Amino acid sequence: MSPPPEPETQAVAVELERLRGTVTTGFAEVKGSLAVLVERSTRTEQDLARLRTETQRSLEALEADTEQGLVRHRAETQRSLDPLKADVEALKARRWPLGVVGAVAGIVGAATGAIALFR
């Protein structure tokens, strides 16, 4: 049979067992904290992917709405310009050409000069 352990050896063994328990508990806490962080990271990645998808859909819908709005706006602008174009064309048809106005002014000036000369 082995001799009974000395009290100092027993105290060291007890202290080592207590330290082992403390270290085991610490590792368990760290492992739990890491598991929580991994779960949060996974959830954050899923949320980010979902937000990217929603943002892309919203952007595509906005682009489509903008394109339709521009087409609609162009059509409305064209409709509002059509009467103005018709008015401009009507005014152009009724104007006197510059040459004709010059000739009439020349004739009137010559006539006025001739009248003044003979008086």
Side-chain angles (χ1 to χ4, degrees):
M1 221 180 198
S2 57
E6 296 178 21
E8 191 176 285
T9 307
Q10 280 183 341
V12 169
V14 168
E15 189 63 29
L16 283 174
E17 191 56 37
R18 189 182 65 76
L19 283 174
R20 183 180 298 145
T22 302
V23 168
T24 303
T25 304
F27 281 147
E29 289 175 2
V30 168
K31 190 184 278 185
S33 296
L34 287 175
V36 168
L37 290 175
V38 167
E39 177 63 29
R40 284 182 185 170
S41 174
T42 303
R43 196 172 304 145
T44 301
E45 288 173 357
Q46 291 170 348
D47 290 345
L48 183 60
R50 182 180 47 80
L51 286 173
R52 278 187 184 144
T53 303
E54 290 175 3
T55 303
Q56 187 64 33
R57 284 185 193 141
S58 297
L59 183 61
E60 289 169 358
L62 183 62
E63 286 174 347
D65 289 347
T66 302
E67 229 175 270
Q68 290 174 354
L70 285 175
V71 168
R72 208 174 314 118
H73 180 68
R74 284 185 189 131
E76 291 172 4
T77 303
Q78 189 62 38
R79 279 194 300 269
S80 66
L81 286 179
D82 286 342
L84 293 175
K85 286 181 181 178
D87 290 345
V88 167
E89 291 302 321
L91 288 173
K92 282 182 182 179
R94 285 186 280 165
R95 74 175 178 185
W96 285 25
L98 191 57
V100 173
V101 172
V104 170
I107 292 172
V108 170
T112 305
I115 291 174
L117 184 62
F118 293 120
R119 275 194 177 197

